[in-house]
Amino acid sequence: GEDVEQSLFLSVREGDSSVINCTYTDSSSTYLYWYKQEPGAGLQLLTYIFSNMDMKQDQRLTVLLNKKDKHLSLRIADTQTGDSAIYFCAESRSGGYNKLIFGAGTRLAVHP
Amino acid sequence: DTEVTQTPKHLVMGMTNKKSLKCEQHMGHRAMYWYKQKAKKPPELMFVYSYEKLSINESVPSRFSPECPNSSLLNLHLHALQPEDSALYLCASSQETGNYEQYFGPGTRLTVT
């Protein structure tokens, strides 16, 4: 199928780590992306990973890719209230133009 | 600078009105995109422009008419819309089509009455 799947909701305590999971479908996808969307705003590109990598770290963000299981995760260390948002994973389908297939988004709620 | 700007931020229009949404980027990107996002849903691709030419139309109704006057600007002309067209309209750009990261603007919140 075409679906990129994510759990819909995650609640964490401020200061803890958050892990947002995603499964994708196209084994030929070359890039996988994480976007953040705050209420009423556009999408902010957080990070991306190339399919020949299994991990990428960028400050508080760590992306893990298990290509065999088509599983992607985003770990946010020391989660802050400003991290509360919807997080979308997206795969870039191969062939022609860069069609991004988005998951439904995971709403991250950070509480004190 | 990875900024994509969109105007207006909010737009309310009647079903008989004609209006336009505007998008601008100065990153030298040659691919630009329009997406539609309904509440609590992910963005859905509408159109792709590559080097100022329309390359993809994802079966969008003709009441939405895109235009790319130059490499920095992308417009979306709206005419005879329906209430179900109310959504957040997002513009994005990337260096080219293919595997380049897309940068999104803040969106225009459109309400059709």
Side-chain angles (χ1 to χ4, degrees), chain B residues 30-46:
Chain B
R30 303 314 300 266
M32 296 186 77
Y33 310 79
W34 280 115
Y35 287 83
K36 173 182 178 179
Q37 186 180 24
K38 300 283 279 184
K40 300 187 191 307
K41 297 287 187 185
E44 295 176 353
L45 183 67
M46 299 174 73

Side-chain angles (χ1 to χ4, degrees), chain A residues 32-80:
Chain A
L32 296 140
Y33 300 87
W34 284 104
Y35 284 89
K36 174 184 179 183
Q37 187 174 35
E38 297 184 49
L43 273 69
Q44 175 192 353
L45 177 64
L46 285 179
T47 188
Y48 60 92
I49 190 166
F50 188 51
S51 58
N52 70 352
M53 299 168 66
D54 51 21
M55 186 181 91
K56 181 179 180 182
Q57 188 154 0
D58 184 0
Q59 300 183 337
R60 291 191 299 123
L61 305 179
T62 303
V63 179
L64 295 178
L65 175 61
N66 180 329
K67 198 171 179 184
K68 174 175 164 289
D69 295 336
K70 300 193 189 71
H71 183 265
L72 181 72
S73 67
L74 174 69
R75 178 177 180 268
I76 306 173
D78 187 25
T79 312
Q80 302 297 307

